[in-house]
Amino acid sequence: MAQGLIEALTQALQRLPGVGPKSARRMAFHLLVRDRDGGRRLGQVLLEAMERIGRCSQCRNLTEQDICAVCSSPRRDHSLLCVVESPADVQAIDQASGFQGLYYVLHGHLSPLDGIGPEELELDRLTARLGSGEVHELILATNPTVEGEATAHYIAELARERGIRSTRIAHGVPMGGDLEFVDGGTLRQALLGRRDYGA
Amino acid sequence: MAQGLIEALTQALQRLPGVGPKSARRMAFHLLVRDRDGGRRLGQVLLEAMERIGRCSQCRNLTEQDICAVCSSPRRDHSLLCVVESPADVQAIDQASGFQGLYYVLHGHLSPLDGIGPEELELDRLTARLGSGEVHELILATNPTVEGEATAHYIAELARERGIRSTRIAHGVPMGGDLEFVDGGTLRQALLGRRDYGA
């Protein structure tokens, strides 16, 4: 059993996305030889996080509380609701954009071929939220993919039935890029979505 | 503190080699959203491994026992000692080569500029091992780098003083490669180390 625990550690590290056998082995040896404190710290935080982090009862984002800091903040605009696919999207938007409304995390997108319909995404919770009268604008920030667009379309319909305005984030050329390397679909969207200069 | 534990997990994951802020965040969300079991398992194994894995009192390789499985195996040739720089090297050689002798792990190489001398590598332990009369051949399998060669040279001297034969692993063209992409230093070594064809 001399290799037992090292092997077990190498296996467990491969549960991380993007980590194969070779990187896992390198990580295991690195922690064991050079950074035992780091290894201990990571072990403790992992156990604590898996135990204590749940979903916000309002927006379904990951949080340690019953209601997350965003949803419970009085400085946020509660009439503006931004629908995203994942907790990572919330973090990306919140860090980058100065958006001051609330979020709603779907934890996925509609994908009939994979058996993911409105029930699996628990869209009835979102519907209830839209029916509360608090939300005046629904921002559809699902991914610009086929599934993301379909999901946005479906949710926009839910909003329309309740007389709530829904908007979609702009598609177009990313900032700082080189036009020649932008794909055709994006370029088409950028031309279709063109706006008066200086407006 | 809503982001506290997620942030702590993202930080802790960055102690892994080759993991920056973006991958760490991706890993944290992956475990929290899709693989809590994997996260728990990794946490437990990490804590257990950091606690229980120490160094073999004979070869200094990582092990859970006082003496590792290789050193305590009666089927191994105890007169053949292979000196390597790291536990990863032991694993690589053992998995690939069918080598049946014992190992000695230096946990580094001589590097005077970094203040790593014979004392820091605890070479007195290796010297004592060489003085035991058990070792008949010392295989120098340190890395083919400047420091690795210097370390091999130094240890070969220790062996010579005790009348023990020391050998160096062959340098040359790696198997399966394209000659045109092999660096000059390696090609020089491959020519210098040429052997009679069919011998």
Side-chain angles (χ1 to χ4, degrees), chain B residues 86-143:
Chain B
S86 78
D89 299 335
V90 172
Q91 212 169 44
I93 294 177
D94 227 52
Q95 283 178 356
S97 68
F99 174 70
Q100 281 297 314
L102 302 186
Y103 295 95
Y104 189 88
V105 182
L106 297 172
H107 290 285
H109 46 236
L110 294 176
S111 180
L113 289 177
D114 301 314
I116 302 174
E119 295 78 37
E120 282 68 28
L121 289 185
E122 301 181 70
L123 285 185
D124 47 335
R125 297 170 68 125
L126 177 58
T127 311
R129 179 82 172 268
L130 294 178
S132 72
E134 203 184 37
V135 179
H136 297 151
E137 181 180 344
L138 190 69
I139 302 176
L140 302 160
T142 51
N143 289 330

Side-chain angles (χ1 to χ4, degrees), chain A residues 143-187:
Chain A
N143 290 329
T145 58
V146 173
E147 293 89 353
E149 295 296 346
T151 308
H153 184 79
Y154 187 94
I155 295 174
E157 197 56 27
L158 295 178
R160 201 189 53 79
E161 288 165 7
R162 280 151 196 84
I164 297 169
R165 177 188 178 208
S166 60
T167 52
R168 181 85 174 106
I169 50 169
H171 295 336
V173 179
M175 302 300 291
D178 198 329
L179 216 63
E180 120 184 60
F181 300 116
V182 173
D183 68 291
T186 303
L187 274 180

Side-chain angles (χ1 to χ4, degrees), chain A residues 34-84:
Chain A
R34 296 213 182 76
D35 193 12
R36 297 242 169 181
D37 279 346
R40 260 179 233 112
R41 169 91 185 129
L42 178 55
Q44 283 155 357
V45 173
L46 268 170
L47 291 181
E48 209 184 327
M50 296 304 129
E51 192 57 46
R52 287 181 40 205
I53 294 176
R55 290 183 180 177
C56 172
S57 61
Q58 282 197 18
C59 72
R60 305 191 72 224
N61 195 9
L62 296 170
T63 175
E64 297 161 60
Q65 274 97 14
D66 175 46
I67 295 180
C68 76
V70 170
C71 287
S72 59
S73 167
R75 282 182 302 184
R76 292 269 178 165
D77 181 352
H78 287 229
S79 70
L80 207 56
L81 190 65
C82 179
V83 178
V84 295

Side-chain angles (χ1 to χ4, degrees), chain B residues 48-179:
Chain B
E48 208 184 325
M50 297 303 130
E51 193 58 47
R52 287 182 37 207
I53 293 176
R55 289 183 181 179
C56 172
S57 61
Q58 281 196 17
C59 72
R60 306 191 71 222
N61 195 8
L62 296 171
T63 175
E64 298 163 57
Q65 274 96 14
D66 175 43
I67 295 181
C68 76
V70 170
C71 285
S72 59
S73 166
R75 284 183 300 185
R76 291 268 178 168
D77 181 352
H78 287 229
S79 70
L80 208 55
L81 191 65
C82 179
V83 178
V84 296
E85 292 186 24
S86 78
D89 299 335
V90 172
Q91 212 169 44
I93 294 177
D94 227 52
Q95 283 178 356
S97 68
F99 174 70
Q100 281 297 314
L102 302 186
Y103 295 95
Y104 189 88
V105 182
L106 297 172
H107 290 285
H109 46 236
L110 294 176
S111 180
L113 289 177
D114 301 314
I116 302 174
E119 295 78 37
E120 282 68 28
L121 289 185
E122 301 181 70
L123 285 185
D124 47 335
R125 297 170 68 125
L126 177 58
T127 311
R129 179 82 172 268
L130 294 178
S132 72
E134 203 184 37
V135 179
H136 297 151
E137 181 180 344
L138 190 69
I139 302 176
L140 302 160
T142 51
N143 289 330
T145 59
V146 173
E147 293 88 353
E149 295 295 347
T151 308
H153 185 78
Y154 187 93
I155 295 174
E157 197 57 29
L158 295 178
R160 201 189 54 79
E161 288 167 8
R162 280 153 195 83
I164 296 169
R165 177 187 178 208
S166 61
T167 53
R168 183 84 173 107
I169 50 167
H171 295 338
V173 180
M175 301 301 291
D178 199 328
L179 216 64

